[in-house]
Amino acid sequence: VLSGCGVYDGTEIHEASAILVHLSRGGAEVQMYAPDVPQMHVIDHSKGQPAEAESRNVLVESARIARGKIASLAKLTTADHDAVIFPGGFGAAKNLSTFAVDGKDCKVNGEVERVLKDFHKAGKPIGLCCISPVLAAKVLSGAEVTVGHEEEEGGKWPYAGTAGAIKELGGKHCVKEHLPVFSLTPFYEAHVDTKNKVVTTPAFMCETELHNIFDGIGAMVKNVLKLTGK
């Protein structure tokens, strides 16, 4: 489920691509969706500032990442899919919810809430990375998620305050570390909430090398696929 195209006003493109690569490697058949709604605002990514005169549609912008093969989120049903995955990017906090503006008092897009509740009720796994775990924390009371660490640690975890917000939303935050230093390919762990079948990983919540983020997302995808039982 995408939320636009571009980290500051939509889906984080590297995260979406990593998810798609790992799903492809895992043999999954993928369909992409996005809500057919206006973006909260448009960011000029070269300046990091709002483009005041512009307006864009979340579905239309998400189609850039999907190479045109995308459908309205209203058409997503649990009957047709074994799992659902949400990449991060500020779009999750601006277009899929109002978390970026309202924090713990945020509202979640109606279709996003429906999808999360339907997959949860059906016992089908839900994967989320970066900032998107706030969606599960808001909609699925008591869900265990991770956004990494709970302290900024000198700027390594610049969005660490999100962990506190997750607790205020009714979720349980679980700190995740690097794998042991002797690992040849260190990456951030994915947290698996086996009760709710919710799998999360920090991704760009941490200032680290891209391959670490790629591998952490791989851990999330692998666990989501495992939980499908297929």
Side-chain angles (χ1 to χ4, degrees), residues 35-54:
D36 188 2
V37 296
Q39 289 186 187
M40 173 184 150
H41 60 188
V42 178
I43 297 292
D44 180 339
H45 282 62
S46 69
K47 298 177 181 177
Q49 299 174 349
E52 300 294 349
E54 288 194 51

Side-chain angles (χ1 to χ4, degrees), residues 1-21 23 30-35 39 45 56-71 85-92 95-96:
V1 176
L2 304 179
S3 62
C5 182
V7 58
Y8 297 122
D9 59 9
T11 299
E12 212 300 319
I13 298 170
H14 297 292
E15 291 177 9
S17 295
I19 289 169
L20 291 169
V21 168
L23 284 171
V30 178
Q31 172 64 52
M32 283 175 268
Y33 297 88
Q39 289 186 187
H45 282 62
R56 299 186 185 184
N57 177 279
V58 175
L59 177 61
V60 172
E61 290 303 295
S62 297
R64 294 175 179 271
I65 297 174
R67 298 172 64 88
K69 297 179 180 179
I70 195 166
I85 295 180
F86 292 78
F90 280 89
N95 304 327
L96 303 188

Side-chain angles (χ1 to χ4, degrees), residues 167-189:
K167 297 173 185 178
E168 292 180 317
L169 287 168
K172 178 181 178 182
H173 185 259
C174 302
V175 173
K176 286 296 172 179
E177 307 280 354
H178 272 299
L179 285 180
V181 293
F182 56 78
S183 173
L184 295 177
T185 55
F187 59 88
Y188 292 102
E189 298 174 285

Side-chain angles (χ1 to χ4, degrees), residues 19-127:
I19 289 169
L20 291 169
V21 168
H22 288 296
L23 284 171
S24 176
R25 186 167 285 154
E29 182 179 345
V30 178
Q31 172 64 52
M32 283 175 268
Y33 297 88
D36 188 2
V37 296
Q39 289 186 187
M40 173 184 150
H41 60 188
V42 178
I43 297 292
D44 180 339
H45 282 62
S46 69
K47 298 177 181 177
Q49 299 174 349
E52 300 294 349
E54 288 194 51
S55 62
R56 299 186 185 184
N57 177 279
V58 175
L59 177 61
V60 172
E61 290 303 295
S62 297
R64 294 175 179 271
I65 297 174
R67 298 172 64 88
K69 297 179 180 179
I70 195 166
S72 170
L73 187 59
K75 297 181 179 180
L76 172 55
T77 66
T78 56
D80 295 330
H81 301 283
D82 299 310
V84 64
I85 295 180
F86 292 78
F90 280 89
K94 294 179 176 180
N95 304 327
L96 303 188
S97 72
T98 64
F99 180 77
V101 176
D102 300 322
K104 65 180 179 64
D105 298 317
C106 69
K107 294 181 180 179
V108 175
N109 171 278
E111 290 298 335
V112 172
E113 182 172 0
R114 175 189 64 80
V115 168
L116 288 169
K117 287 182 175 179
D118 284 356
F119 273 81
H120 182 255
K121 184 178 180 180
K124 294 185 175 183
I126 300 166

Side-chain angles (χ1 to χ4, degrees), residues 123-144:
K124 294 185 175 183
I126 300 166
L128 311 102
C129 65
C130 196
I131 191 67
S132 67
V134 300
L135 302 172
K138 175 68 175 181
V139 174
L140 307 176
S141 181
E144 296 178 0

